[in-house]
């Protein structure tokens, strides 16, 4: 099964993708994670993407489509969860070609419907354990013991450099202008399912499970 999780930054796509990966063995394909890895390693793609990402703008369609193409076969057996891709019409078309070449097709496009102002609060407060990646939040989910990761006991935490208010607003604007307009394309194919993304993580997970099991 191949699915897209669609929604603005901070809607919970990554959290739900990780859960589906752990629970169902599907593979999370997050272009944001791939790009952050490329930036950290200083690859040619990373060097091109760094400033664009810091500004909250979109990296070129050619770069992200190539990244997905390189990883798609790793997700052949158990299905892919596209997280943060596609973000434009061109990317949606590129994905269709990449899947078609492999005899695959999308099963669902799950839109996480959220309130933008609430999202800005969610994003600005989030941080993760530097060692194991466990997610936390200044307001909603602090470690039980201050300065110690609940999951692995680590003491170092990190924040994404693009999780500041100004960049988040640009990322939201990019979503509205370029990504939300691809929904009608998938609607015309009867693929879109909507989930209220303002519910708790567990409630959102239950709603996604119901769609995948239907
Ligand atoms: P994310 O982790 O999905 O929020 O992505 C972080 C940043 O990476 C975005 O703000 C963009 O600059 C870039 N990015 C990630 N995925 C894409 C994509 N599919 N198309 C263009 N840029 C992307």
């Amino acid at each position: 099964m191949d699915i897209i999780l669609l929604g603005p930054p901070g809607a919970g796509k990554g959290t739900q993708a990780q859960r589906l990966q752990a629970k169902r063995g599907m593979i999370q394909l997050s272009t944001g994670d791939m790009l952050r890895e490329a930036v950290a390693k200083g690859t040619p793609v990373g060097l091109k993407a760094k400033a664009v990402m810091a500004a909250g703008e979109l990296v070129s369609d050619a770069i992200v489509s190539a990244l997905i193409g390189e990883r798609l076969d790793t997700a052949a057996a158990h299905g892919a969860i596209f997280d943060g891709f596609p973000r434009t019409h061109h990317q949606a078309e590129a994905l269709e070609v990449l899947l078609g070449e492999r005899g695959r097709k999308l099963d669902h496009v799950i839109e996480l419907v959220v309130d933008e102002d609430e999202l800005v609060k969610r994003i600005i407060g989030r941080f993760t354990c530097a060692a194991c990646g466990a997610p936390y939040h200044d307001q909603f989910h602090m470690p039980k013991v201050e300065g110690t990761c609940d999951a692995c006991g680590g003491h170092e935490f990190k924040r994404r450099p693009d999780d500041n208010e100004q960049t988040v607003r640009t990322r939201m604007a990019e979503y509205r202008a370029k990504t939300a307009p691809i929904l009608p394309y998938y609607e015309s194919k009867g693929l879109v399912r909507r989930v209220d993304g303002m519910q708790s993580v567990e409630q959102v997970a239950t709603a996604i499970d119901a769609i995948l099991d239907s």
Side-chain angles (χ1 to χ4, degrees):
M1 187 177 286
D2 290 322
I3 66 168
I4 295 175
L5 293 181
L6 204 74
K13 302 185 296 292
T15 302
Q16 295 298 333
Q18 279 176 17
R19 195 192 137 274
L20 288 172
Q21 181 162 274
K23 188 174 169 200
R24 295 181 179 248
M26 296 173 78
I27 304 291
Q28 176 189 18
L29 294 179
S30 157
T31 40
D33 286 348
M34 293 173 203
L35 289 166
R36 278 185 286 280
E37 196 183 308
V39 170
K41 286 188 181 153
T43 67
V45 162
L47 294 176
K48 274 193 198 149
K50 189 172 181 181
V52 179
M53 291 171 78
E57 290 162 10
L58 292 189
V59 174
S60 82
D61 291 334
I63 287 182
V64 292
S65 301
L67 287 174
I68 285 286
E70 284 165 19
R71 310 275 179 108
L72 197 47
D73 293 326
T74 62
H78 300 286
I81 310 151
F82 298 101
D83 161 13
F85 178 92
R87 264 174 153 99
T88 65
H89 259 297
H90 270 114
Q91 293 177 24
E93 284 162 9
L95 178 59
E96 198 163 318
V97 171
L98 286 167
L99 288 172
E101 285 168 352
R102 291 160 174 82
R104 290 159 63 176
K105 64 173 180 44
L106 284 170
D107 293 281
H108 300 290
V109 175
I110 300 177
E111 183 192 3
L112 298 178
V113 181
V114 287
D115 175 282
E116 241 188 61
D117 288 328
E118 202 48 47
L119 280 197
V120 175
K121 269 193 233 158
R122 264 200 209 176
I123 298 181
I124 291 171
R126 68 187 183 179
F127 61 99
T128 54
C129 170
C132 76
Y136 294 99
H137 194 282
D138 293 328
Q139 267 176 286
F140 311 125
H141 180 205
M142 285 294 281
K144 293 195 182 82
V145 177
E146 201 186 327
T148 304
C149 174
D150 297 346
C152 76
H155 295 297
E156 270 188 54
F157 297 89
K158 59 181 185 183
R159 286 173 197 267
R160 282 174 43 170
D162 57 349
D163 276 354
N164 61 77
E165 180 152 6
Q166 195 187 346
T167 306
V168 170
R169 295 278 177 202
T170 305
R171 288 159 64 199
M172 294 289 176
E174 288 281 70
Y175 178 81
R176 255 181 274 121
K178 296 175 185 161
T179 308
I182 64 181
L183 274 161
Y185 170 76
Y186 288 125
E187 257 157 25
S188 71
K189 296 174 181 283
L191 290 173
V192 179
R193 308 291 301 269
R194 293 201 162 75
V195 169
D196 174 2
M198 301 314 292
Q199 306 176 97
S200 69
V201 170
E202 291 72 28
Q203 285 169 320
V204 174
T206 304
I208 292 176
D209 279 342
I211 293 168
L212 300 191
D213 293 334
S214 65

